[in-house]
Amino acid sequence: QVQLVESGGGLVQPGGSLRLSCAASGNIFSIKDMGWYRQAPGKQRELVAGISDGGSTSYADSVKGRFTISGDGARNTVYLQMNTLKPEDTAVYYCKLRIMIWGNGWNDYWGQGTQVTVSS
């Protein structure tokens, strides 16, 4: 079994910063890709940022230059540093990791979601 635990969300004023963390634990053999998604009320879930096991990163146009994704393989943790936050960044943020557990193939696992609210 694998568990993903997210932390770091909260309420912040426009222009502020937050750092999200997502830590995976369990019978993990390897992690291939890690990503952050978000879902605002009434909208579909969208990819915000991704990072491959080789370190390549990608970002949604709306967050380029403001958000930075990073991974710590030793801790099975992915981070999302969010700067210059805007009200339109308000959403529930989810991490997703592609993980191989011992004796199984690759599967996607999701975090429980953490609320980010940007408001004055």
Side-chain angles (χ1 to χ4, degrees), residues 98-110:
R98 180 153 294 177
I99 296 173
M100 178 182 286
I101 61 176
W102 290 95
N104 273 298
W106 296 100
N107 288 286
D108 291 334
Y109 295 86
W110 289 87

Side-chain angles (χ1 to χ4, degrees), residues 21-88:
S21 299
C22 172
S25 62
N27 202 21
I28 297 170
F29 177 73
S30 182
I31 299 177
K32 181 184 291 187
D33 300 307
M34 299 184 282
W36 287 95
Y37 292 71
R38 68 185 180 188
Q39 187 166 19
K43 294 188 177 181
Q44 289 189 332
R45 191 173 297 189
E46 63 174 353
L47 176 64
V48 175
I51 184 168
S52 71
D53 56 350
S56 298
T57 58
S58 60
Y59 297 93
D61 288 343
S62 59
V63 307
K64 280 181 181 176
R66 300 188 297 120
F67 290 11
T68 303
I69 187 171
S70 60
D72 184 338
R75 293 182 170 84
N76 293 332
T77 301
V78 60
Y79 304 96
L80 186 67
Q81 178 66 44
M82 304 185 293
N83 299 328
T84 320
L85 282 160
K86 304 175 181 179
E88 51 263 43

Side-chain angles (χ1 to χ4, degrees), residues 11-16 85-87 90 117-120:
L11 173 64
V12 64
Q13 291 187 341
L85 282 160
K86 304 175 181 179
T90 296
T117 302
V118 185
S119 176
S120 54

